[in-house]
């Protein structure tokens, strides 16, 4: 685990808090009136859902280490929504107040580092948005698998391992799809020997045949 952000905050004397989420755990964030919080993901992977008071939710992004979470710009609908940050693996956060950061920072380099985080986070939001471009649930699920393989996959001979737990329920949350439909799609991919679950049916593996099928059928 990198400690460069911890070192930066200790040296700058900026008040901050550290949170740890175990995989599957979640943090809930609502609009803050007095303090506009920023959260740095300095180790791990999470996905973010925007949840409405009527129970509906929208997937926003998958974020990994060196990303920044900022909900302070969405105060206009603060009475109707909250944000849910769910850990796909054990994840550590640094939470701090933007105004306190401005008050305490002494070196321009710290601001430059934060700007780099914002740029990287914006790129992750843009990449994540591709998952929801498709109207078809099948293509959404496929797009999610491609995204995870590209961003996090571990190559091992003729297959790629997604290195954290990815349940069908999580897939349905992220793709905004019915769990039954997601189950049918995953079951189809497993029967075709394109993917399989391993390690007590928690870790998903995508075979080379899966990518060959997508290329031959121009599914991207």
């Amino acid at each position: 685990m990198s400690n460069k952000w911890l070192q930066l905050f200790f040296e700058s004397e900026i008040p901050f808090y550290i949170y740890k989420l175990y995989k599957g755990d979640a943090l809930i964030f609502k609009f803050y009136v007095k303090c506009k919080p920023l959260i740095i993901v300095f180790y791990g992977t999470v996905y973010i859902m925007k949840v409405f008071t009527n129970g509906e939710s929208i997937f926003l992004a998958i974020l990994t280490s060196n990303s920044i979470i900022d909900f302070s710009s969405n105060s206009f609908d603060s009475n109707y929504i909250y944000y849910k940050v769910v850990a796909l693996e054990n994840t550590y956060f640094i939470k701090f107040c933007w105004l306190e950061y401005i008050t305490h920072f002494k070196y321009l380099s710290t601001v430059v580092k934060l700007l780099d985080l914002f740029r990287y986070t914006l790129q992750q939001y843009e990449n994540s948005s591709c998952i929801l471009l498709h109207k078809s649930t099948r293509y959404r699920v496929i797009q999610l698998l491609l995204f995870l393989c590209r961003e996090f996959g571990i190559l091992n001979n003729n297959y790629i391992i997604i290195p954290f737990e990815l349940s069908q329920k999580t897939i349905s949350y992220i793709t905004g799809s019915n769990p039954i439909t997601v189950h049918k799609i995953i079951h189809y991919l497993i029967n075709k020997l394109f993917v399989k679950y391993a390690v007590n049916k928690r870790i998903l593996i995508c075979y080379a045949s899966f990518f060959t099928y997508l290329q031959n059928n121009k599914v991207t």
Side-chain angles (χ1 to χ4, degrees), residues 27-49:
L27 288 176
I28 303 298
F29 293 96
K30 293 186 177 182
F31 175 66
Y32 291 76
V33 177
K34 295 182 179 180
C35 177
K36 303 296 189 295
L38 293 177
I39 300 99
I40 293 175
V41 182
F42 70 92
Y43 180 85
T45 309
V46 300
Y47 68 92
I48 302 177
M49 303 294 295

Side-chain angles (χ1 to χ4, degrees), residues 11 23 25 32 50 54 63 72 85 89 120 123 131 145 189 204 207:
E11 291 177 351
K23 62 180 180 182
D25 289 346
Y32 291 76
K50 183 176 183 179
N54 64 1
L63 302 181
S72 61
V85 179
E89 58 182 336
Y120 179 62
Q123 180 182 355
I131 298 170
L145 297 181
L189 295 175
L204 195 63
Y207 288 104

Side-chain angles (χ1 to χ4, degrees), residues 86-102:
V86 185
L88 287 170
E89 58 182 336
N90 293 348
T91 303
Y92 292 83
F93 306 88
I94 295 176
K95 177 184 173 184
F96 61 99
C97 178
W98 175 247
L99 292 179
E100 291 178 343
Y101 183 89
I102 294 296

